């Protein structure tokens, strides 16, 4: 008797159905986490023509949209129409989670707020992402990533000291709010297993941005220090920074006295250990400009590959400064397989950014590419009992 290989276990979130009312980036980021780990995600969109649709975040076939909206099913519903809301309410009865990132007042105007939908399904996890919170003086303000990077302190600690405030090169507030929202949803689902009750999970770009400041926020809250721009230097660990070699830039970080001693030996500079300017971390901090210049002068004498190999062999953390294409070509990145290949019916063979989480039982998967608007109307709405003639009638009246 031959043994057939066992099929992989179902993804951990496969029992759950998620209704996705989100747009732009923070909300889709949260829902993507759930979709990649197996949840059935029904993305609710306005009934518009795909050929003319240009959402914020790019066209349907653009890189950003494809990366954010994979593993989802699309249903078009006009939520301003009572019939459209009635269809949504039917979906909510069978859903586990609903995620929205409207401005706080919009969901109440549409009649799809937490209290309304909770009355339909008490086990529902209702998750909200906003710019500034569901209440408070800024609640109704529009909030976008760059606005919140400024208000939340991020721009004040990013960039070179002489540059003035600088935004981070990625959507830090949006992405972080999405990840925190996904964590909140998972916590709520675990709590529901114990209590049987749904709940309202909330986060905002502003809260997420402040939380991700982490050590910089703690410096203010605990020690009363206002962090400033340190450029490529670390605010407290010296030497840390960007250095130049014969053939390109590299980064180096030397935390603690033991690592400092290893650096002195690897760079053949034992005299630094006795130099009063560099003896302690405080000394090195006070004299970081001179120290960084001395390190840079030495690194300039050899190619980057030479120093990375030599310093890593000494147990010192360092690495190349790559462009994005170079980062994905790196052998370790290739080994980790974070670029997920997929064949798209219109784009051909492409790759999307995979999940950075590994498990010995499960591997998140790319099961489907980003859907076109209303691609799954017949499938999903048919499960609610709607017949073809009813679907056509709703279509003709711009309800779906």
């Amino acid at each position: 008797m031959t043994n057939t290989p066992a099929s992989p276990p179902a993804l951990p979130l496969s029992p759950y159905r998620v209704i996705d009312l989100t747009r732009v980036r923070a909300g889709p980021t949260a829902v993507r986490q759930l979709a990649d780990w197996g949840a059935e995600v029904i993305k609710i969109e306005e009934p518009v023509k795909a050929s003319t649709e240009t959402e914020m975040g790019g066209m349907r076939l653009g890189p950003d949209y494809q990366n954010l909206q994979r593993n989802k099913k699309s249903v078009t519903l006009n939520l301003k129409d009572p019939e459209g809301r009635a269809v949504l309410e039917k979906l909510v009865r069978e859903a586990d989670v609903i995620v929205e990132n409207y401005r706080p007042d919009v969901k109440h105007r549409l009649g799809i707020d937490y209290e309304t939908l909770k009355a339909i399904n008490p086990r529902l996890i209702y998750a909200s992402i906003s710019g500034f919170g569901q209440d408070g003086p800024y609640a109704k303000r529009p909030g976008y990533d760059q606005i919140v990077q400024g208000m939340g302190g991020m721009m004040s600690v990013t960039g070179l000291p002489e540059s003035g405030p600088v935004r981070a090169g990625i959507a830090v507030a949006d992405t972080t709010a999405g990840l925190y929202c996904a964590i909140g949803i998972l916590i709520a689902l675990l709590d529901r297993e114990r209590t049987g009750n749904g709940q309202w999970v909330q986060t905002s770009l502003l809260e997420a941005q402040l939380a991700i400041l982490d050590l910089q926020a703690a410096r203010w809250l605990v020690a009363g220090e206002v962090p400033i721009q340190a450029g490529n230097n670390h605010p407290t660990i010296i030497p840390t920074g960007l250095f130049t070699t014969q053939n390109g830039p590299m980064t180096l970080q030397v935390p603690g006295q033991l690592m400092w001693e290893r650096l002195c030996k690897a760079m053949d500079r034992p005299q630094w250990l006795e130099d009063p300017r560099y003896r302690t971390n405080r000394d090195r901090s006070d004299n970081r400009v001179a120290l960084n210049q001395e390190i840079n002068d030495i690194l300039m004498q050899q190619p980057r590959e030479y120093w990375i190999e030599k310093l890593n062999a000494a147990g010192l953390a360092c690495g190349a400064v790559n462009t994005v294409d170079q980062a994905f070509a790196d052998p370790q990145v290739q080994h980790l397989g974070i670029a997920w290949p997929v064949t798209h019916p219109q784009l051909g063979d492409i790759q999307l950014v995979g999940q950075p989480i590994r498990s010995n039982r499960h591997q998140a998967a790319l099961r489907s590419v980003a859907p076109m608007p209303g691609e799954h109307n017949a499938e999903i709405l048919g499960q609610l009992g709607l017949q073809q003639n009813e679907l056509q009638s709703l279509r003709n009246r711009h309800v779906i």
Side-chain angles (χ1 to χ4, degrees):
M1 180 177 179
T2 55
N3 292 324
T4 57
S7 58
L11 287 171
L13 299 184
S14 58
Y16 300 106
R17 172 174 273 195
V18 178
I19 308 298
D20 180 8
L21 300 178
T22 68
R23 303 156 299 137
V24 195
R25 179 175 309 283
T29 296
V31 178
R32 180 181 61 185
Q33 299 304 111
L34 310 178
D36 283 357
W37 289 99
E40 181 190 24
V41 172
I42 301 171
K43 177 175 171 58
I44 305 297
E45 310 187 67
E46 291 185 26
V48 294
K49 293 180 180 178
S51 59
T52 60
E53 186 204 27
T54 55
E55 296 188 39
M56 281 185 287
M59 297 289 291
R60 286 276 173 168
L61 299 178
D64 200 28
Y65 194 90
Q66 290 296 313
N67 201 50
L68 281 173
Q69 307 296 351
R70 74 233 188 165
N71 288 335
K72 301 178 183 181
K73 299 177 180 179
S74 173
V75 169
T76 47
L77 280 181
N78 181 1
L79 297 179
K80 296 177 182 177
D81 188 295
E83 287 187 273
R85 285 198 302 278
V87 172
L88 178 67
E89 289 173 3
K90 289 181 180 179
L91 289 170
V92 166
R93 288 191 182 96
E94 305 300 322
D96 297 284
V97 178
I98 189 166
V99 189
E100 61 87 19
N101 62 342
Y102 297 115
R103 273 190 283 180
D105 56 323
V106 172
K107 55 182 160 287
H108 294 280
R109 291 206 308 266
L110 292 174
I112 55 172
D113 54 278
Y114 172 62
E115 293 298 335
T116 300
L117 299 187
K118 175 188 175 184
I120 297 169
N121 180 358
R123 289 174 53 83
L124 183 70
I125 308 301
Y126 190 109
S128 296
I129 303 176
S130 60
F132 302 101
Q134 295 298 310
D135 45 40
Y138 301 164
K140 293 184 180 181
R141 286 189 184 184
Y144 296 107
D145 182 86
Q146 180 148 344
I147 309 305
V148 173
Q149 281 199 36
M151 294 177 66
M154 182 74 179
M155 292 175 66
S156 76
V157 296
T158 303
L160 299 170
E162 64 274 11
S163 68
V166 176
R167 70 176 288 275
I170 58 171
V172 176
D174 274 338
T175 301
T176 306
L179 294 174
Y180 280 131
C181 180
I183 293 170
I185 290 167
L186 296 175
I187 291 169
L189 286 170
L190 286 171
D191 184 68
R192 193 180 72 176
E193 292 296 310
R194 183 175 58 86
T195 66
N197 298 320
Q199 59 185 282
W200 188 7
V201 174
Q202 304 171 27
T203 191
S204 68
L205 272 64
L206 184 58
E207 290 167 285
Q209 179 62 87
L210 289 163
I212 205 68
L213 285 179
D214 201 36
L215 74 94
Q216 300 285 45
R219 290 175 67 191
W220 162 246
L221 294 173
V222 176
E225 301 173 7
V226 178
I228 60 173
Q229 290 167 306
N232 293 307
N233 294 313
H234 192 277
T236 58
I237 299 173
I238 296 93
T240 294
L242 178 71
F243 299 93
T244 305
T245 69
Q246 277 185 356
N247 63 342
M250 65 177 284
T251 55
L252 172 67
Q253 182 161 331
V254 185
Q257 196 64 21
L258 175 61
M259 292 298 130
W260 168 243
E261 292 170 5
R262 289 183 181 180
L263 179 70
C264 295
K265 182 178 179 181
M267 302 192 86
D268 195 25
R269 291 296 185 277
Q271 63 268 31
W272 284 351
L273 294 172
E274 302 304 323
D275 191 320
R277 297 174 300 165
Y278 308 146
R279 195 169 288 143
T280 67
N281 192 71
R282 170 53 63 188
D283 297 329
R284 295 191 289 276
S285 179
D286 292 341
N287 297 282
R288 74 166 71 205
V289 173
L291 176 58
N292 284 352
Q293 186 60 58
E294 289 201 57
I295 292 172
N296 208 79
D297 290 344
I298 297 168
L299 294 177
M300 279 288 291
Q301 298 171 18
Q302 296 288 346
R304 182 166 63 184
E305 295 77 14
Y306 169 88
W307 288 114
I308 291 173
E309 182 177 353
K310 182 171 186 177
L311 296 177
N312 281 170
L316 292 158
C318 63
V321 177
N322 291 324
T323 57
V324 174
D325 58 322
Q326 291 169 338
F328 277 97
D330 184 278
Q332 182 64 26
V333 175
Q334 300 245 319
H335 169 78
L336 293 170
I338 198 167
W340 285 358
V342 63
T343 299
H344 190 281
Q346 291 162 274
L347 298 172
D349 292 336
I350 60 173
Q351 297 182 87
L352 300 175
V353 184
Q355 282 287 339
I357 301 169
R358 291 170 171 262
S359 162
N360 67 332
R361 271 183 49 81
H362 301 286
Q363 179 60 54
L366 182 57
R367 304 185 306 282
S368 62
V369 297
M372 298 304 285
E375 183 177 330
H376 301 91
N377 279 357
E379 174 191 340
I380 301 300
L381 301 184
Q383 294 172 5
L384 300 179
L386 294 172
Q387 303 301 311
Q388 281 299 324
N389 61 327
E390 295 174 288
L391 293 175
Q392 189 58 52
S393 174
L394 292 172
R395 207 172 285 120
N396 293 341
R397 288 178 285 117
H398 208 59
V399 177
I400 66 172

